[in-house]
Amino acid sequence: MAQPPQPDAFSETRLDSDAGAVFVLESKGKWWHAGFHLTTAIVGPTILTLPYAFRGMGWGLGFLCLTVMGCVTFYSYYLMSLVLDHCEKAGRRHIRFRELAADVLGSGWMFYFVVFIQTAINTGVGIGAILLAGECLQIMYSNLSPNGSLKLYEFIAMVTGVMIVLSQMPSFHSLRHLNFASLVLSLGYTFLVVGACIHAGLSKNAPHRDYSLESKSSSRMFSAFTSISIIAAIFGNGILPEIQATLAPPATGKMVKGLVMCYSIILVTFYSASASGYWAFGNKSNSNILKSLMPDDGPSLAPTMVIGLAVIFVLLQLFAIGLVYSQVAYEIMEKQSADVNQGMFSKRNLIPRLILRTLYVIFCGFMAAMLPFFGDINGVVGAIGFIPLDFILPMLLYNMTYKPSKSSLAYWINLLIIVVFSGVGIMGAFSSMRKLVVDATKFKLFSSDVVD
């Protein structure tokens, strides 16, 4: 089990003897590599869930929430990069979120809190990536063989097999080329889906568009908070310190450039996917907008070639996302199981890595096959995972590190964000869990259909 940092935990000597740091979080990257990692961690196929999130809020509140979340997360990640830079200049370079939180806040329990939340996020995203990749294969298969006998869990097993092979890539830095391809793929399928939604909205078979919200005020409130949780999950990553750890020292200032690159992609993809999908399908938007484009009770609403290419792009990017979010788990495994005095690919280190990573991927694949509740899982992960790590802790860490005056604007902005998003997180968790309970009658273990 991961241990809380000791007083000398952040010295260069200790990092040199830390297998997790040396093998998985090796610090060799450039700022644009960090940009590739960040973009893969944030700009993923979950953006195809944005029209679904909008149906719980409508146009005005939807765009307001999207904009506020974007501004707050950029500000949050910027503050965290400043805290990491400050610690590095003080001789305590942090390469793990859990150690940063424990060092700055001076609390052993905070170390375990971050470990728990990061584990929930990373495992949840790993399960979701495998589930959605399996669904992509199922979509392609059902079009090529409408009467085929293969079930969703069989496609999930195929994806799990590929992920086991890819999981043996040894370090976060070794993913840089894969994550650049991921960035290009995210732009590719976003443009394809936007074009497909516009085509669907203008076609003679265009669905009836209804942008009305639920009639009961209580239902509208719960739906809105669930949607906010989903958007928080889409903007969140929870692994920024680990991404900054891949930068060659000194890392000061480099992460900000990576953030600007990432949010430039976010600006292009998030708004276009939200607007086009919600415009075309309104409150009938599916939790995967690709399924809205391919209704079960009618013809495809966009050219099959366009949808097929988008599905392939999504499928390929999901492998990169699954790998990125597995790095924290792999780093913990490597720290506990590897011998830093022997080579990364020595028999002593290679065999435990192969076994432990394979078991982790198999677990994620099994859970994806057993619990295909993609839309609902997104909301829960956002509320209990991403909101604390990405909307609350960075503000607290900044105030504790830089100690801004209580009369300063920065102090009160940070405090306001902490208070507001603590409330949003609590309500979002309650609303998301409520939706899970409401949808429970639709759930079927090892189902061949993903519940919306």
Side-chain angles (χ1 to χ4, degrees), residues 318-339:
L318 283 164
F319 292 119
I321 291 171
L323 287 172
V324 163
Y325 277 96
S326 298
Q327 294 307 303
V328 173
Y330 295 162
E331 175 269 314
I332 292 174
M333 294 173 192
E334 207 90 351
K335 183 176 181 180
Q336 301 298 320
S337 66
D339 182 354

Side-chain angles (χ1 to χ4, degrees), residues 225-306:
F225 276 106
T226 300
S227 296
I228 290 170
S229 297
I230 291 172
I231 294 177
I234 293 171
F235 269 108
N237 72 74
I239 54 173
L240 187 135
E242 286 79 5
I243 292 175
Q244 184 155 332
T246 65
L247 290 168
T252 302
K254 296 177 183 176
M255 199 64 186
V256 177
K257 296 178 182 178
L259 275 171
V260 171
M261 173 195 287
C262 174
Y263 273 75
S264 298
I265 305 298
I266 285 174
L267 185 65
V268 173
T269 55
F270 282 31
Y271 283 88
S272 59
S274 303
S276 60
Y278 189 58
W279 170 77
F281 299 102
N283 58 19
K284 299 298 181 184
S285 298
N286 195 285
S287 65
N288 181 350
I289 203 66
L290 289 172
K291 295 184 75 173
S292 296
L293 290 164
M294 303 175 67
D296 295 331
D297 55 354
S300 173
L301 298 176
T304 304
M305 181 70 73
V306 171

